[in-house]
């Protein structure tokens, strides 16, 4: 799928779904995942922060299960229109009601005068039901509610490989 609307996380401590205005579907039909099949999610956008920034966490979720996250990280302060991208790959290891996937990714972003990269490392498999339908979510969550905390996703592509 691709997106045709800007996803926004702003002035809130609630996890916000960034994937909006979908062309295609964010739902993997039952039994779509098979061993070795990979989901590739790529997203791009920009963000702003206040002088003393709150933490930010980016997460990729399949169904109701968090597959990978940056954990709460602190970006630079006073960022204005700092570019970011997110790259995530989720590979099915086993199938079934207690199937497993493993994911790896990163969140490179403009951090004041340089680029920073927050890894999204998964050190073990994650259990997921591959026999049922699973929605794909990309979520952002700020650690504090402030009008200057803004993250905009302008582009997103998700592909099913293999």
């Amino acid at each position: 799928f691709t997106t045709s609307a800007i996803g926004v996380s702003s002035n809130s401590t609630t996890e916000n779904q960034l994937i909006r205005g979908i062309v295609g579907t964010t739902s993997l039909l039952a039994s779509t995942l098979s061993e070795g099949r990979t989901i590739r999610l790529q997203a791009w956008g920009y963000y702003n922060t206040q002088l003393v920034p709150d933490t930010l966490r980016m997460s990729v979720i399949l169904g109701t299960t968090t597959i990978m996250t940056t954990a709460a990280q602190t970006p630079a302060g006073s960022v204005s229109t700092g570019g970011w991208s997110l790259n995530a790959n989720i590979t099915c290891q086993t199938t079934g009601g207690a199937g497993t996937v493993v994911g790896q990714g990163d969140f490179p972003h403009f951090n004041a005068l340089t680029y920073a990269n927050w890894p999204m490392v998964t050190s073990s498999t994650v259990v997921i039901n591959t026999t049922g339908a699973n929605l794909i979510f990309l979520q952002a969550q700020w650690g504090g509610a402030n009008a200057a905390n803004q993250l905009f996703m302008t582009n997103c592509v998700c592909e099913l490989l293999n």
Side-chain angles (χ1 to χ4, degrees):
F1 68 84
T2 59
T3 58
S4 61
I6 295 176
V8 180
S9 178
S10 178
N11 197 21
S12 172
T13 59
T14 304
E15 275 192 316
N16 291 284
Q17 163 67 309
L18 297 175
I19 299 173
R20 301 180 184 166
I22 289 90
V23 176
T25 180
T26 61
S27 179
L28 292 176
L29 300 176
S31 301
T32 297
L33 289 177
S34 56
E35 292 178 10
R37 206 146 200 210
T38 297
I39 301 164
R40 178 182 294 155
L41 177 68
Q42 296 175 293
W44 302 266
Y46 62 96
Y47 74 106
N48 305 309
T49 61
Q50 61 185 330
L51 177 62
V52 179
D54 291 303
T55 59
L56 174 63
R57 180 174 64 130
M58 301 295 288
S59 300
V60 177
I61 298 165
L62 194 54
T64 59
T65 305
T66 299
I67 305 301
M68 65 185 84
T69 182
T70 61
Q73 305 279 338
T74 304
S78 299
V79 173
S80 177
T81 319
W84 65 266
S85 64
L86 182 136
N87 306 293
N89 290 293
I90 302 167
T91 301
C92 180
Q93 301 290 310
T94 61
T95 60
T100 57
V101 297
V102 65
Q104 302 296 337
D106 61 352
F107 179 68
H109 56 285
F110 179 73
N111 206 2
L113 300 176
T114 62
Y115 274 90
N117 189 23
W118 298 343
M120 301 173 83
V121 177
T122 305
S123 60
S124 61
T125 58
V126 179
V127 175
I128 190 154
N129 181 358
T130 64
T131 65
N134 288 290
L135 292 174
I136 300 169
F137 299 98
L138 173 55
Q139 296 184 329
Q141 182 177 19
W142 289 99
N146 185 292
N149 293 338
Q150 300 174 322
L151 184 131
F152 301 89
M153 183 187 75
T154 57
N155 306 81
C156 182
V157 176
C158 186
E159 305 169 281
L160 189 59
L161 307 174
N162 305 340

